[in-house]
Amino acid sequence: MGEGDAGDKTAKDTVKLISAEGFEFLVDYKAACVSATVKNMLTSQGAFAEKELGEIRFPEISTPTLEKVCQYFYYKLRWANAPSKDIPEFKVAPEMALELLMAANYLDM
C-alpha cells in the first residue's frame, strides 16, 4: 500500500461532525452511522459535500449536545447486541434532555 492509500482509508474510516459553534468531533464511520440521517448523508448517490469531505455541519446542534450525541453513538455500538438486563443506563442531565431529544429526532436515532 502506498502512502496515499493509508490516508484514504483513514479518511473513510472517520467522519467529522461539526457543531453550531464550530467544534469538530472526529467519530468512527460505524459509530456515526448509528444515526440514519448521518448514514444517508454519507452514502447517498451523487457528489454531495458531506460524502466527498467526510464532514457534516450541524448549525442547529450545540457543542455540548453534539458531544452527548457522539457518546451515544459509541454507547449504542457497544451495547446493541447485549441482553437488555446487562445494558447500563445512558445518563443524560435533565437540563440537556429537551435539546438532546430534538437532536436525536433530527438525527433519526
Side-chain angles (χ1 to χ4, degrees):
M1 247 199 272
E3 206 172 302
D5 295 336
D8 290 346
K9 184 180 185 318
T10 302
K12 292 177 183 175
D13 288 344
T14 59
V15 178
K16 187 186 298 182
L17 306 179
I18 306 169
S19 71
E21 297 83 7
F23 194 86
E24 300 175 352
F25 296 89
L26 197 58
V27 180
D28 290 334
Y29 179 85
K30 283 177 87 173
C33 288
V34 163
S35 162
T37 301
V38 170
K39 184 176 183 179
N40 287 337
M41 288 176 166
L42 296 173
T43 61
S44 60
Q45 297 290 325
F48 294 103
E50 294 86 0
K51 183 177 178 181
E52 296 295 318
L53 300 174
E55 66 180 47
I56 303 172
R57 295 185 181 278
F58 295 105
E60 301 295 322
I61 301 178
S62 70
T63 298
T65 301
L66 190 56
E67 179 179 18
K68 198 67 171 176
V69 164
C70 292
Q71 290 172 2
Y72 180 77
F73 289 163
Y74 288 102
Y75 169 88
K76 176 74 173 174
L77 277 183
R78 167 67 178 92
W79 299 104
N81 297 318
S84 61
K85 65 181 175 141
D86 295 337
I87 300 174
E89 178 182 359
F90 184 76
K91 296 185 188 298
V92 175
E95 59 273 7
M96 181 180 260
L98 181 59
E99 192 173 348
L100 193 57
L101 183 63
M102 292 186 323
N105 183 50
Y106 173 72
L107 294 170
D108 193 15
M109 48 183 257

